[in-house]
Amino acid sequence: GMPDRYYYLSSTPHMAELRKLYQAHIAAVFQLAGFADSPARAAAVFALENKLAKLHATRVESEDVHGAVQWKRAELIAKAPGLDWPTLLDAAGLPEAADFVIWHPKAIPGLSALAASEPLNAWKDWLAFHAIENASPFLPKAFVAEYFAFHGKALSGIPELRPRWQRGMDFTSDALGDTVGKLYAQ
């Protein structure tokens, strides 16, 4: 949800304020989408994301290209219990994959265990929130405004939302950029 684990774990006043704003944002998104008990759902989603952040690698660890390891399929299943790896890998189109490059070998076992230990409803709410969040630019104006209030103003310091026509042009350029560029070059 927030850009990096630092936003969840830092004790600075600015980050503490952003966490409050983010939790209020989650609740507002749930409320806009018609979910009952949006503050409790927001608290559960935020708590889950906080647990995820604690398990993730730091930025410094992520930038260490030599920190990646290779695990065999059996090692993945043994070292990271909690997820149904065969089902997950099958769904990912990797039913026969034997070797995996693990970029964050300390995080994967913890994340896998978290998947097994957290209540299913927390995961459902987390997925619902992020599905709505990802669709926010295409939903009614209230969703766009809420998304911008947190991601634009609070996180990025952008003073005002760009006009709809400019945002529409950006989406079109992103979706058709290469295709239009090739036609233009011809």
Side-chain angles (χ1 to χ4, degrees):
M2 290 196 286
D4 154 313
R5 74 190 298 271
Y6 179 75
Y7 287 74
Y8 294 91
L9 306 178
S10 170
S11 60
T12 66
H14 178 65
M15 290 300 164
E17 180 62 23
L18 282 176
R19 286 191 291 272
K20 287 180 193 174
L21 292 172
Y22 181 54
Q23 194 165 335
H25 167 67
I26 298 169
V29 169
F30 277 131
Q31 185 174 0
L32 285 169
F35 283 75
D37 203 10
S38 59
R41 287 175 188 264
V45 168
F46 184 79
L48 178 57
E49 288 189 5
N50 199 47
K51 290 175 185 176
L52 290 167
K54 288 177 182 174
L55 295 168
H56 269 272
T58 66
R59 260 191 203 182
V60 171
E61 290 169 334
S62 280
E63 291 171 359
D64 179 12
V65 296
H66 302 292
V69 298
Q70 190 169 4
W71 287 353
K72 298 284 185 197
R73 183 185 199 89
E75 287 178 288
L76 178 64
I77 294 167
K79 290 181 178 182
L83 281 176
D84 181 354
W85 288 105
T87 301
L88 178 70
L89 295 172
D90 188 44
L94 301 167
E96 303 300 323
D99 297 310
F100 300 90
V101 175
I102 307 297
W103 194 258
H104 297 144
K106 290 190 276 183
I108 298 298
L111 294 170
S112 184
L114 190 63
S117 66
E118 285 298 302
L120 182 58
N121 283 337
W123 289 109
K124 286 180 178 180
D125 285 343
W126 182 79
L127 288 168
F129 166 70
H130 285 287
I132 298 163
E133 179 88 339
N134 290 337
S136 288
F138 312 106
L139 294 174
K141 193 174 190 174
F143 287 91
V144 174
E146 178 56 40
Y147 183 89
F148 178 76
F150 179 71
H151 292 280
K153 281 187 179 180
L155 274 182
S156 303
I158 300 169
E160 66 181 48
L161 182 63
R162 293 175 53 226
R164 186 176 181 195
W165 72 267
Q166 287 179 344
R167 291 179 280 132
M169 290 295 295
D170 288 344
F171 290 130
T172 303
S173 293
D174 288 346
L176 299 175
D178 289 341
T179 303
V180 172
K182 286 178 186 176
L183 289 173
Y184 179 79
Q186 289 174 354

